[in-house]
mmCIF file of all heavy atoms in Angstrom:
data_model
loop_
_atom_site.group_PDB
_atom_site.id
_atom_site.type_symbol
_atom_site.label_atom_id
_atom_site.label_comp_id
_atom_site.label_asym_id
_atom_site.label_seq_id
_atom_site.Cartn_x
_atom_site.Cartn_y
_atom_site.Cartn_z
ATOM 1 N N VAL B 43 97.021 41.008 121.021
ATOM 2 C CA VAL B 43 96.890 42.414 120.755
ATOM 3 C C VAL B 43 96.026 42.546 119.488
ATOM 4 O O VAL B 43 96.409 42.018 118.554
ATOM 5 C CB VAL B 43 98.191 43.134 120.670
ATOM 6 C CG1 VAL B 43 97.999 44.565 120.361
ATOM 7 C CG2 VAL B 43 99.097 42.979 121.832
ATOM 8 N N GLU B 44 94.933 43.368 119.672
ATOM 9 C CA GLU B 44 94.008 43.475 118.522
ATOM 10 C C GLU B 44 93.921 44.892 118.099
ATOM 11 O O GLU B 44 93.808 45.785 118.916
ATOM 12 C CB GLU B 44 92.586 43.056 118.890
ATOM 13 C CG GLU B 44 92.499 41.632 119.385
ATOM 14 C CD GLU B 44 91.114 41.355 120.027
ATOM 15 O OE1 GLU B 44 90.826 41.814 121.114
ATOM 16 O OE2 GLU B 44 90.397 40.620 119.428
ATOM 17 N N PHE B 45 93.892 45.158 116.783
ATOM 18 C CA PHE B 45 93.628 46.555 116.230
ATOM 19 C C PHE B 45 92.177 47.021 116.408
ATOM 20 O O PHE B 45 91.282 46.250 116.203
ATOM 21 C CB PHE B 45 94.021 46.474 114.660
ATOM 22 C CG PHE B 45 93.676 47.713 113.927
ATOM 23 C CD1 PHE B 45 94.483 48.704 113.902
ATOM 24 C CD2 PHE B 45 92.442 47.750 113.215
ATOM 25 C CE1 PHE B 45 94.209 49.867 113.231
ATOM 26 C CE2 PHE B 45 92.211 48.814 112.439
ATOM 27 C CZ PHE B 45 93.009 49.917 112.503
ATOM 28 N N LEU B 46 92.160 48.272 116.912
ATOM 29 C CA LEU B 46 90.790 48.881 116.939
ATOM 30 C C LEU B 46 90.613 49.867 115.762
ATOM 31 O O LEU B 46 89.566 49.711 115.141
ATOM 32 C CB LEU B 46 90.692 49.572 118.346
ATOM 33 C CG LEU B 46 90.642 48.674 119.568
ATOM 34 C CD1 LEU B 46 90.595 49.669 120.799
ATOM 35 C CD2 LEU B 46 89.427 47.714 119.498
ATOM 36 N N VAL B 47 91.490 50.803 115.650
ATOM 37 C CA VAL B 47 91.245 52.024 114.786
ATOM 38 C C VAL B 47 92.483 52.624 114.409
ATOM 39 O O VAL B 47 93.412 52.667 115.194
ATOM 40 C CB VAL B 47 90.157 52.880 115.430
ATOM 41 C CG1 VAL B 47 90.856 53.663 116.644
ATOM 42 C CG2 VAL B 47 89.691 53.951 114.484
ATOM 43 N N SER B 48 92.550 53.263 113.164
ATOM 44 C CA SER B 48 93.571 54.138 112.793
ATOM 45 C C SER B 48 92.960 55.477 112.375
ATOM 46 O O SER B 48 91.827 55.549 111.975
ATOM 47 C CB SER B 48 94.429 53.550 111.699
ATOM 48 O OG SER B 48 93.577 53.264 110.464
ATOM 49 N N PHE B 49 93.775 56.479 112.571
ATOM 50 C CA PHE B 49 93.195 57.902 112.442
ATOM 51 C C PHE B 49 94.161 58.740 111.768
ATOM 52 O O PHE B 49 95.378 58.785 112.122
ATOM 53 C CB PHE B 49 92.933 58.410 113.825
ATOM 54 C CG PHE B 49 92.221 59.656 114.032
ATOM 55 C CD1 PHE B 49 90.766 59.724 113.988
ATOM 56 C CD2 PHE B 49 92.854 60.844 114.183
ATOM 57 C CE1 PHE B 49 90.127 60.817 114.173
ATOM 58 C CE2 PHE B 49 92.202 62.065 114.317
ATOM 59 C CZ PHE B 49 90.807 62.106 114.365
ATOM 60 N N TYR B 50 93.754 59.607 110.844
ATOM 61 C CA TYR B 50 94.558 60.502 110.133
ATOM 62 C C TYR B 50 93.805 61.716 109.626
ATOM 63 O O TYR B 50 92.664 61.601 109.153
ATOM 64 C CB TYR B 50 95.248 59.801 108.879
ATOM 65 C CG TYR B 50 96.043 60.797 107.985
ATOM 66 C CD1 TYR B 50 97.225 61.408 108.352
ATOM 67 C CD2 TYR B 50 95.450 61.047 106.696
ATOM 68 C CE1 TYR B 50 97.801 62.281 107.515
ATOM 69 C CE2 TYR B 50 96.093 61.991 105.854
ATOM 70 C CZ TYR B 50 97.274 62.529 106.308
ATOM 71 O OH TYR B 50 97.956 63.346 105.378
ATOM 72 N N ASN B 51 94.370 62.859 109.787
ATOM 73 C CA ASN B 51 93.730 64.088 109.302
ATOM 74 C C ASN B 51 92.376 64.220 109.811
ATOM 75 O O ASN B 51 91.428 64.581 109.008
ATOM 76 C CB ASN B 51 93.808 64.068 107.761
ATOM 77 C CG ASN B 51 93.606 65.468 107.156
ATOM 78 O OD1 ASN B 51 93.993 66.412 107.773
ATOM 79 N ND2 ASN B 51 93.086 65.503 105.877
ATOM 80 N N ASN B 52 92.247 63.963 111.103
ATOM 81 C CA ASN B 52 90.932 64.109 111.698
ATOM 82 C C ASN B 52 89.796 63.172 111.228
ATOM 83 O O ASN B 52 88.711 63.478 111.403
ATOM 84 C CB ASN B 52 90.446 65.595 111.682
ATOM 85 C CG ASN B 52 91.205 66.400 112.719
ATOM 86 O OD1 ASN B 52 91.577 66.012 113.773
ATOM 87 N ND2 ASN B 52 91.542 67.597 112.337
ATOM 88 N N GLU B 53 90.264 62.136 110.648
ATOM 89 C CA GLU B 53 89.256 61.085 110.199
ATOM 90 C C GLU B 53 89.740 59.711 110.578
ATOM 91 O O GLU B 53 90.856 59.464 110.592
ATOM 92 C CB GLU B 53 89.072 61.198 108.743
ATOM 93 C CG GLU B 53 88.335 62.366 108.154
ATOM 94 C CD GLU B 53 88.119 62.353 106.720
ATOM 95 O OE1 GLU B 53 88.745 61.467 105.998
ATOM 96 O OE2 GLU B 53 87.309 63.175 106.225
ATOM 97 N N ILE B 54 88.772 58.795 110.787
ATOM 98 C CA ILE B 54 89.090 57.432 110.829
ATOM 99 C C ILE B 54 89.569 56.902 109.579
ATOM 100 O O ILE B 54 88.856 56.997 108.569
ATOM 101 C CB ILE B 54 87.942 56.634 111.402
ATOM 102 C CG1 ILE B 54 87.705 57.036 112.893
ATOM 103 C CG2 ILE B 54 88.149 55.167 111.268
ATOM 104 C CD1 ILE B 54 86.479 56.390 113.474
ATOM 105 N N SER B 55 90.730 56.242 109.478
ATOM 106 C CA SER B 55 91.212 55.630 108.256
ATOM 107 C C SER B 55 90.772 54.193 108.066
ATOM 108 O O SER B 55 90.378 53.682 107.043
ATOM 109 C CB SER B 55 92.773 55.642 108.249
ATOM 110 O OG SER B 55 93.337 56.947 108.346
ATOM 111 N N GLU B 56 90.850 53.455 109.208
ATOM 112 C CA GLU B 56 90.447 52.110 109.195
ATOM 113 C C GLU B 56 89.840 51.733 110.566
ATOM 114 O O GLU B 56 90.332 52.275 111.568
ATOM 115 C CB GLU B 56 91.724 51.281 108.952
ATOM 116 C CG GLU B 56 91.507 49.750 108.457
ATOM 117 C CD GLU B 56 91.232 49.684 107.028
ATOM 118 O OE1 GLU B 56 91.637 50.586 106.226
ATOM 119 O OE2 GLU B 56 90.582 48.657 106.661
ATOM 120 N N LYS B 57 88.897 50.831 110.571
ATOM 121 C CA LYS B 57 88.537 50.303 112.036
ATOM 122 C C LYS B 57 88.194 48.781 111.901
ATOM 123 O O LYS B 57 87.871 48.312 110.810
ATOM 124 C CB LYS B 57 87.384 51.135 112.440
ATOM 125 C CG LYS B 57 86.106 51.047 111.544
ATOM 126 C CD LYS B 57 84.963 51.876 112.093
ATOM 127 C CE LYS B 57 83.708 51.846 111.256
ATOM 128 N NZ LYS B 57 82.587 52.591 111.859
ATOM 129 N N SER B 58 88.323 48.161 112.988
ATOM 130 C CA SER B 58 87.955 46.784 113.011
ATOM 131 C C SER B 58 86.512 46.549 113.444
ATOM 132 O O SER B 58 85.863 47.424 113.766
ATOM 133 C CB SER B 58 88.956 46.101 114.002
ATOM 134 O OG SER B 58 88.667 46.379 115.366
ATOM 135 N N GLU B 59 86.134 45.286 113.435
ATOM 136 C CA GLU B 59 84.869 44.870 113.787
ATOM 137 C C GLU B 59 84.547 45.298 115.316
ATOM 138 O O GLU B 59 83.418 45.443 115.721
ATOM 139 C CB GLU B 59 84.559 43.413 113.535
ATOM 140 C CG GLU B 59 84.488 43.087 112.088
ATOM 141 C CD GLU B 59 84.352 41.592 111.860
ATOM 142 O OE1 GLU B 59 84.466 40.841 112.910
ATOM 143 O OE2 GLU B 59 84.143 41.160 110.762
ATOM 144 N N ILE B 60 85.708 45.207 115.997
ATOM 145 C CA ILE B 60 85.551 45.537 117.436
ATOM 146 C C ILE B 60 85.149 46.955 117.727
ATOM 147 O O ILE B 60 84.322 47.286 118.690
ATOM 148 C CB ILE B 60 86.858 45.360 118.157
ATOM 149 C CG1 ILE B 60 87.379 43.968 118.010
ATOM 150 C CG2 ILE B 60 86.841 45.656 119.759
ATOM 151 C CD1 ILE B 60 88.865 43.764 118.376
ATOM 152 N N PHE B 61 85.458 47.899 116.851
ATOM 153 C CA PHE B 61 85.239 49.345 116.993
ATOM 154 C C PHE B 61 83.808 49.681 116.580
ATOM 155 O O PHE B 61 83.594 50.054 115.465
ATOM 156 C CB PHE B 61 86.207 50.122 116.173
ATOM 157 C CG PHE B 61 86.310 51.547 116.524
ATOM 158 C CD1 PHE B 61 87.116 51.996 117.512
ATOM 159 C CD2 PHE B 61 85.584 52.523 115.753
ATOM 160 C CE1 PHE B 61 87.283 53.352 117.832
ATOM 161 C CE2 PHE B 61 85.652 53.869 116.143
ATOM 162 C CZ PHE B 61 86.539 54.242 117.114
ATOM 163 N N ASP B 62 82.931 49.351 117.487
ATOM 164 C CA ASP B 62 81.421 49.530 117.131
ATOM 165 C C ASP B 62 81.053 50.995 117.615
ATOM 166 O O ASP B 62 81.830 51.814 117.974
ATOM 167 C CB ASP B 62 80.581 48.404 117.778
ATOM 168 C CG ASP B 62 80.723 48.416 119.314
ATOM 169 O OD1 ASP B 62 81.121 49.418 119.910
ATOM 170 O OD2 ASP B 62 80.423 47.240 119.760
ATOM 171 N N ASP B 63 79.748 51.135 117.670
ATOM 172 C CA ASP B 63 79.191 52.490 117.886
ATOM 173 C C ASP B 63 79.471 53.077 119.361
ATOM 174 O O ASP B 63 79.340 54.257 119.587
ATOM 175 C CB ASP B 63 77.657 52.510 117.624
ATOM 176 C CG ASP B 63 77.313 52.374 116.089
ATOM 177 O OD1 ASP B 63 78.283 52.548 115.399
ATOM 178 O OD2 ASP B 63 76.229 52.035 115.904
ATOM 179 N N GLN B 64 79.825 52.243 120.194
ATOM 180 C CA GLN B 64 80.176 52.635 121.602
ATOM 181 C C GLN B 64 81.456 53.240 121.719
ATOM 182 O O GLN B 64 81.852 53.943 122.593
ATOM 183 C CB GLN B 64 79.996 51.488 122.605
ATOM 184 C CG GLN B 64 81.052 50.478 122.578
ATOM 185 C CD GLN B 64 81.158 49.630 123.802
ATOM 186 O OE1 GLN B 64 80.580 50.111 124.877
ATOM 187 N NE2 GLN B 64 81.820 48.504 123.735
ATOM 188 N N PHE B 65 82.306 53.097 120.594
ATOM 189 C CA PHE B 65 83.667 53.598 120.570
ATOM 190 C C PHE B 65 83.726 54.836 119.764
ATOM 191 O O PHE B 65 83.047 54.959 118.667
ATOM 192 C CB PHE B 65 84.729 52.620 119.987
ATOM 193 C CG PHE B 65 84.909 51.373 120.946
ATOM 194 C CD1 PHE B 65 84.272 50.229 120.686
ATOM 195 C CD2 PHE B 65 85.971 51.406 121.863
ATOM 196 C CE1 PHE B 65 84.452 49.173 121.590
ATOM 197 C CE2 PHE B 65 86.186 50.390 122.682
ATOM 198 C CZ PHE B 65 85.470 49.196 122.598
ATOM 199 N N SER B 66 84.595 55.783 120.117
ATOM 200 C CA SER B 66 84.864 56.970 119.245
ATOM 201 C C SER B 66 86.226 57.522 119.574
ATOM 202 O O SER B 66 86.814 57.163 120.618
ATOM 203 C CB SER B 66 83.833 58.111 119.425
ATOM 204 O OG SER B 66 83.946 58.570 120.750
ATOM 205 N N VAL B 67 86.908 58.085 118.554
ATOM 206 C CA VAL B 67 88.162 58.731 118.749
ATOM 207 C C VAL B 67 88.129 60.140 118.230
ATOM 208 O O VAL B 67 87.325 60.568 117.466
ATOM 209 C CB VAL B 67 89.261 58.008 117.842
ATOM 210 C CG1 VAL B 67 89.602 56.600 118.463
ATOM 211 C CG2 VAL B 67 88.813 57.779 116.408
ATOM 212 N N GLU B 68 89.050 60.923 118.915
ATOM 213 C CA GLU B 68 89.071 62.363 118.561
ATOM 214 C C GLU B 68 90.486 62.904 118.822
ATOM 215 O O GLU B 68 91.236 62.335 119.674
ATOM 216 C CB GLU B 68 88.103 63.010 119.531
ATOM 217 C CG GLU B 68 87.850 64.435 119.346
ATOM 218 C CD GLU B 68 86.806 65.021 120.309
ATOM 219 O OE1 GLU B 68 86.918 64.615 121.462
ATOM 220 O OE2 GLU B 68 86.120 65.969 119.865
ATOM 221 N N ARG B 69 90.792 63.925 118.004
ATOM 222 C CA ARG B 69 92.070 64.626 118.346
ATOM 223 C C ARG B 69 91.619 66.035 118.701
ATOM 224 O O ARG B 69 91.413 66.936 117.882
ATOM 225 C CB ARG B 69 92.895 64.582 117.103
ATOM 226 C CG ARG B 69 94.250 65.225 117.343
ATOM 227 C CD ARG B 69 95.274 64.686 116.322
ATOM 228 N NE ARG B 69 96.487 65.402 116.276
ATOM 229 C CZ ARG B 69 97.509 65.256 116.995
ATOM 230 N NH1 ARG B 69 97.509 64.365 117.954
ATOM 231 N NH2 ARG B 69 98.600 65.915 116.785
ATOM 232 N N PRO B 70 91.298 66.263 119.990
ATOM 233 C CA PRO B 70 90.634 67.537 120.416
ATOM 234 C C PRO B 70 91.603 68.815 120.272
ATOM 235 O O PRO B 70 91.071 69.854 120.198
ATOM 236 C CB PRO B 70 90.339 67.220 121.836
ATOM 237 C CG PRO B 70 91.309 66.185 122.289
ATOM 238 C CD PRO B 70 91.555 65.394 121.053
ATOM 239 N N ASP B 71 92.876 68.594 120.195
ATOM 240 C CA ASP B 71 93.798 69.626 120.074
ATOM 241 C C ASP B 71 94.979 69.229 119.304
ATOM 242 O O ASP B 71 94.986 67.998 118.772
ATOM 243 C CB ASP B 71 94.156 70.205 121.466
ATOM 244 C CG ASP B 71 94.711 69.251 122.403
ATOM 245 O OD1 ASP B 71 95.466 68.280 121.923
ATOM 246 O OD2 ASP B 71 94.291 69.098 123.525
ATOM 247 N N GLY B 72 96.065 70.007 119.267
ATOM 248 C CA GLY B 72 97.225 69.553 118.434
ATOM 249 C C GLY B 72 98.079 68.445 119.020
ATOM 250 O O GLY B 72 99.073 68.004 118.332
ATOM 251 N N SER B 73 97.739 68.036 120.307
ATOM 252 C CA SER B 73 98.745 67.001 120.871
ATOM 253 C C SER B 73 98.052 65.813 121.349
ATOM 254 O O SER B 73 98.585 64.744 121.197
ATOM 255 C CB SER B 73 99.399 67.648 121.986
ATOM 256 O OG SER B 73 98.603 68.121 122.989
ATOM 257 N N ASN B 74 96.791 65.912 121.784
ATOM 258 C CA ASN B 74 96.077 64.663 122.396
ATOM 259 C C ASN B 74 95.344 63.939 121.326
ATOM 260 O O ASN B 74 94.855 64.466 120.346
ATOM 261 C CB ASN B 74 95.117 65.133 123.519
ATOM 262 C CG ASN B 74 95.881 65.603 124.645
ATOM 263 O OD1 ASN B 74 96.359 64.793 125.506
ATOM 264 N ND2 ASN B 74 95.950 66.941 124.863
ATOM 265 N N PHE B 75 95.255 62.598 121.632
ATOM 266 C CA PHE B 75 94.425 61.703 120.777
ATOM 267 C C PHE B 75 93.666 60.827 121.808
ATOM 268 O O PHE B 75 94.264 60.169 122.679
ATOM 269 C CB PHE B 75 95.343 60.917 119.930
ATOM 270 C CG PHE B 75 94.661 59.886 119.077
ATOM 271 C CD1 PHE B 75 93.596 60.170 118.211
ATOM 272 C CD2 PHE B 75 95.078 58.593 119.032
ATOM 273 C CE1 PHE B 75 92.991 59.236 117.501
ATOM 274 C CE2 PHE B 75 94.470 57.572 118.248
ATOM 275 C CZ PHE B 75 93.427 57.881 117.470
ATOM 276 N N THR B 76 92.301 60.868 121.773
ATOM 277 C CA THR B 76 91.556 60.121 122.803
ATOM 278 C C THR B 76 90.757 59.057 122.087
ATOM 279 O O THR B 76 90.240 59.042 121.062
ATOM 280 C CB THR B 76 90.660 61.168 123.473
ATOM 281 O OG1 THR B 76 89.692 61.669 122.482
ATOM 282 C CG2 THR B 76 91.460 62.307 124.123
ATOM 283 N N LEU B 77 90.495 58.024 123.132
ATOM 284 C CA LEU B 77 89.629 56.954 122.764
ATOM 285 C C LEU B 77 88.495 57.027 123.864
ATOM 286 O O LEU B 77 88.682 56.930 125.038
ATOM 287 C CB LEU B 77 90.245 55.613 122.873
ATOM 288 C CG LEU B 77 89.375 54.284 122.730
ATOM 289 C CD1 LEU B 77 88.884 54.209 121.317
ATOM 290 C CD2 LEU B 77 90.116 53.099 123.119
#
Side-chain angles (χ1 to χ4, degrees):
Chain B
V43 177
E44 302 171 289
F45 171 80
L46 292 178
V47 66
S48 59
F49 188 87
Y50 168 70
N51 199 27
N52 285 321
E53 288 185 347
I54 290 175
S55 300
E56 196 85 27
K57 61 181 181 178
S58 71
E59 293 176 352
I60 302 167
F61 195 87
D62 61 22
D63 290 344
Q64 70 161 343
F65 290 93
S66 62
V67 288
E68 190 179 30
R69 190 155 162 82
D71 53 43
S73 58
N74 288 284
F75 178 52
T76 62
L77 173 70

